[in-house]
Amino acid sequence: MFFENKNYGFISQIDLKQKRIQILYSFIMVFGFLIIILCIFPPLWVILSSLKDTKEFYGIPATIIPRSFNPEKLWIVWNSVGFTKYFINSLIVVFGSVVCAMLFNGMLAYAVSILKPKGSKVVFNLVVMSMMIPTTVSMMTLFKNIVDVKLLNSYIPLMLGVGANAYFCILYKQFFDAIPKSYIEAARIDGCSKLKIFTHIITPMSKAVNTVITIFALNAAWSDFLMPYLILRKENVKTVMVKLFSMSTFPDDYIVVSLFFTIVPPVILFSIFQKNMINGIQLGGIKG
Amino acid sequence: MKDLKKGALISFKQNFTSWLFIIPSIILFSFFIWHPLLSGIRYSFFKMNGFKMIEFVGFDNYINVLSSSDFYNALNNTFSYAFWSIIIGYFAPIIIAIFLNELVHFKGVFRLGVYFPNIVPGLAAYLMWKMLMAPGEGGVFNTIIGWFGLGPFMWIQDPRYSIPLIIMTMTWKAFGGAVLIYMASLQSVDQNLYEAVAIDGGGIWTKIRHITIPKIMPLAKMMLILQFINVFKVMQEPLIMTDGGPLNSSMSLLLLTYKYAFKYNKIDMAATVGSLVGILLFVISFIYMKVTKNKEA
């Protein structure tokens, strides 16, 4: 075993020369792997089970490692549920949500952090305060608002709703606060308008925070279920999650395959952007 | 005088263009968050027919809600959720973070692994665990414990275990984020402190007790209150996994507002329970703000 680089934690490099500590270290390692197995097993079970044939799926006792291999089942379920339509619907919502998340939260944060007009602090405090009370407390009055403006069965409230996200606003504000004021002063002296400062100075500098917001908004919009479930009543406008929740009339093996479909896109996203996601959590996670 | 007027005009004009960046967000926040909250409070003082306000009834709705057994059951359950979420959901990430932080090998694998459940969409995660905990002999968990000659259990279908098992599922879904935050905090422990303890003859347990735990204490205090606030929001999980059952054993306060509003069409009752939860959370959040202020000072 190589412990040359161990310069952190309560087990020091010198400790590790003792047999007793080495055993303890191995125990911790085993413990870590057990945790990982616990984290990975349920989604793995979904993937493995969606490939079982129907007979094996309902067999008693359940098999953990599948004996049958039926990839065509994915295709059958995809078609008989009609997932193409629901995936397109979800993609529209996800795309619109990401745009709204960046545009509206970014603009508010820009005004509060850099322009600072009189009274903007009050608005920001109200935004922060709204974080204390979960939106589920007022979901039915929000539902009424949406019905009143005749946006039932529409994606617009889902997209715009992400534009009013206190957490994203705060993340943006923290980022903008750290931009050196001299850049903005210089632009101002050169006669840049406020809009131009936003589009030509702030936006190009905000790549890091934009990536984090994009990934969070993407994931949130894809996973969102309650509001879409209340708003999207017509079959042809449902998103993937709404369809998944209303699949109780389908057999269990169909539901497992559908679970597989809903888990795959975020897993792909995660494997591409894992570094940004984990850094984003460590930076902004405490405030969430 | 003229200059002053001109100055005010310029400052208004300057402010006006700045406000153009804020106004869209104000409209969105009003529509999606502030107005729904306030109108919920207003509804709680009216007798409602659907979404129509019939007449002002003062605190009658509150009296009705506070004297209903549904509310007490849900309140009781919500505290039960809070209890289990602190036993399972709060301590698990601390312990896991302390241990994982020790490992030199496979550090990246462990960090990715614990965060992995976070990316599984909520609905999918809860449906998945519900299926794993299927009560029959064909259930996966029942099969696994069957190898050891146990079971079959009813799992979440057993009113005694529905809440702890829902909390276990929620913990599985979310603990990775907390682990990463604790690990980030543990990374910044000054190594000299551990060495000082070692020189004084302290063992590993002494190091954990006197260095590691005090180091993450401020963070842990904040997380405790966040955990408490979060668990009061519990609604989707029981809705998806048990629909509040069996025998209302997993009905939470917010699930009750959902049922009042969208199942029984009792908007006034829903608004009243919602307002009570809002007040409760406001109080908890107020304490949270105090604690974080003290930490900064």
Side-chain angles (χ1 to χ4, degrees):
Chain A
M1 285 206 246
F2 300 98
F3 296 110
E4 271 104 55
N5 298 321
K6 181 131 174 56
N7 51 7
Y8 50 80
F10 50 76
I11 299 177
S12 73
Q13 214 166 304
I14 302 157
D15 286 340
L16 278 163
K17 291 201 174 105
Q18 301 171 38
K19 255 267 138 40
R20 205 167 53 90
I21 306 284
Q22 278 177 13
I23 291 168
L24 176 72
Y25 184 85
S26 317
F27 269 120
I28 295 176
M29 186 93 102
V30 171
F31 170 76
F33 276 112
L34 284 178
I35 298 286
I36 302 299
I37 290 168
L38 193 68
C39 287
I40 301 215
F41 171 70
L44 197 66
W45 172 79
V46 166
I47 294 166
L48 295 177
S49 296
S50 23
L51 298 171
K52 289 176 187 170
D53 63 25
T54 313
K55 206 176 141 218
E56 191 192 350
F57 185 87
Y58 290 105
I60 292 173
T63 50
I64 308 298
I65 296 156
R67 278 188 302 255
S68 49
F69 182 66
N70 253 35
E72 64 270 17
K73 195 166 176 190
L74 300 180
W75 186 238
I76 294 167
V77 174
W78 179 281
N79 281 328
S80 66
V81 183
F83 265 118
T84 312
K85 186 172 60 192
Y86 305 117
F87 261 74
I88 292 171
N89 293 344
S90 274
L91 285 181
I92 297 169
V93 176
V94 165
F95 180 76
S97 303
V98 170
V99 172
C100 288
M102 291 202 282
L103 185 68
F104 293 110
N105 298 312
M107 283 197 326
L108 176 63
Y110 169 60
V112 172
S113 166
I114 290 162
L115 301 177
K116 293 180 182 156
K118 261 190 192 140
S120 61
K121 223 174 177 178
V122 179
V123 176
F124 189 70
N125 282 339
L126 282 173
V127 167
V128 173
M129 259 165 62
S130 65
M131 252 176 100
M132 289 182 192
I133 292 157
T135 42
T136 26
V137 167
S138 48
M139 72 196 146
M140 54 150 189
T141 34
L142 172 57
F143 177 74
K144 182 183 185 282
N145 275 358
I146 289 166
V147 173
D148 284 350
V149 293
K150 300 205 165 44
L151 285 174
L152 212 59
N153 289 315
S154 153
Y155 302 137
I156 294 170
L158 298 175
M159 298 171 176
L160 287 177
V162 188
N165 186 310
Y167 175 59
F168 291 165
C169 278
I170 293 170
L171 222 59
Y172 265 121
K173 186 182 176 283
Q174 281 178 343
F175 187 84
F176 293 160
D177 282 346
I179 291 178
K181 293 283 159 291
S182 47
Y183 284 102
I184 292 136
E185 281 308 312
R188 235 175 235 161
I189 290 161
D190 287 347
C192 240
S193 71
K194 281 166 188 165
L195 184 66
K196 242 186 169 170
I197 293 178
F198 186 60
T199 54
H200 285 66
I201 313 247
I202 304 290
T203 311
M205 288 178 82
S206 312
K207 262 199 192 123
V209 68
N210 279 337
T211 318
V212 170
I213 299 275
T214 302
I215 298 166
F216 283 173
L218 245 161
N219 227 353
W222 174 262
S223 312
D224 195 13
F225 141 74
L226 187 63
M227 226 40 209
Y229 173 65
L230 293 177
I231 293 172
L232 307 173
R233 300 294 177 90
K234 279 193 197 142
E235 193 61 32
N236 63 334
V237 294
K238 283 182 178 173
T239 57
V240 175
M241 292 299 160
V242 178
K243 184 62 195 171
L244 178 64
F245 191 62
S246 55
M247 275 180 67
S248 48
T249 53
F250 283 81
D252 273 2
D253 53 337
Y254 274 49
I255 295 177
V256 168
V257 177
S258 310
L259 283 175
F260 172 72
F261 292 144
T262 62
I263 294 173
V264 165
V267 169
I268 293 173
L269 188 81
F270 179 62
S271 42
I272 301 171
F273 291 109
Q274 20 132 331
K275 220 175 206 159
N276 303 66
M277 277 170 109
I278 284 176
N279 288 343
I281 278 291
Q282 289 184 336
L283 288 177
I286 302 168
K287 295 283 192 311
Chain B
M1 189 67 200
K2 213 181 163 190
D3 275 1
L4 200 75
K5 251 189 181 166
K6 209 174 155 194
L9 194 73
I10 288 168
S11 102
F12 171 76
K13 240 178 117 185
Q14 274 176 345
N15 275 335
F16 179 72
T17 48
S18 300
W19 276 97
L20 285 181
F21 286 91
I22 304 180
I23 287 165
S25 293
I26 293 187
I27 295 169
L28 291 183
F29 269 97
S30 311
F31 183 86
F32 286 100
I33 293 171
W34 300 329
H35 180 261
L37 262 178
L38 293 178
S39 65
I41 295 170
R42 199 155 56 107
Y43 288 166
S44 69
F45 293 105
F46 281 84
K47 191 176 165 228
M48 308 276 297
N49 182 7
F51 277 108
K52 267 204 198 83
M53 289 185 278
I54 307 268
E55 61 168 320
F56 182 78
V57 291
F59 284 97
D60 279 9
N61 287 329
Y62 286 89
I63 294 164
N64 275 342
V65 163
L66 289 173
S67 57
S68 78
S69 60
D70 283 350
F71 178 78
Y72 279 106
N73 174 47
L75 185 71
N76 210 358
N77 286 345
T78 303
F79 277 107
S80 178
Y81 277 110
F83 172 76
W84 285 107
S85 98
I86 284 163
I87 299 292
I88 304 172
Y90 177 68
F91 287 112
I94 299 180
I95 295 165
I96 292 169
I98 290 177
F99 284 125
L100 286 191
N101 192 50
E102 288 308 311
L103 297 174
V104 186
H105 305 97
F106 308 108
K107 232 177 161 83
V109 175
F110 288 124
R111 288 211 308 178
L112 290 183
V114 292
Y115 193 64
F116 181 72
N118 272 61
I119 59 160
V120 176
L123 175 62
Y126 303 126
L127 283 177
M128 184 171 76
W129 276 85
K130 188 186 171 184
M131 294 186 116
L132 288 169
M133 295 191 280
E137 274 180 51
V140 178
F141 281 4
N142 275 341
T143 301
I144 293 174
I145 61 168
W147 297 341
F148 305 100
L150 295 169
F153 286 147
M154 294 292 281
W155 302 99
I156 47 173
Q157 300 307 324
D158 187 330
R160 284 171 299 174
Y161 304 126
S162 52
I163 289 179
L165 286 172
I166 289 173
I167 288 291
M168 207 188 72
T169 310
M170 289 169 71
T171 305
W172 178 86
K173 169 89 183 74
F175 84 102
V179 169
L180 292 182
I181 294 167
Y182 280 118
M183 277 174 81
S185 157
L186 286 173
Q187 289 285 311
S188 63
V189 178
D190 186 355
Q191 206 53 33
N192 293 330
L193 295 175
Y194 284 130
E195 272 166 32
V197 174
I199 288 163
D200 289 346
I204 283 171
W205 176 238
T206 323
K207 286 184 190 171
I208 297 178
R209 234 186 91 192
H210 292 288
I211 313 285
T212 314
I213 291 176
K215 170 67 192 174
I216 53 173
M217 209 53 195
L219 179 61
K221 264 187 205 155
M222 246 179 10
M223 299 286 271
L224 180 67
I225 293 157
L226 277 179
Q227 181 95 15
F228 212 68
I229 294 172
N230 268 322
V231 80
F232 271 86
K233 301 178 189 173
V234 67
M235 185 221 133
Q236 296 196 28
E237 296 79 4
L239 174 70
I240 294 163
M241 293 182 78
T242 58
D243 201 25
L247 307 167
N248 281 339
S249 63
S250 60
M251 181 72 76
S252 71
L253 283 171
L254 285 184
L255 188 56
L256 189 64
T257 69
Y258 174 87
K259 295 250 158 155
Y260 275 146
F262 295 103
K263 275 247 164 81
Y264 313 130
N265 206 24
K266 289 183 184 165
I267 302 296
D268 36 16
M269 294 290 264
T272 311
V273 177
S275 302
L276 286 169
V277 176
I279 294 166
L280 217 81
L281 283 176
F282 196 81
V283 173
I284 299 169
S285 303
F286 187 76
I287 298 166
Y288 167 65
M289 300 282 253
K290 280 268 176 221
V291 171
T292 37
K293 270 235 175 82
N294 285 344
K295 190 211 147 211
E296 274 159 17

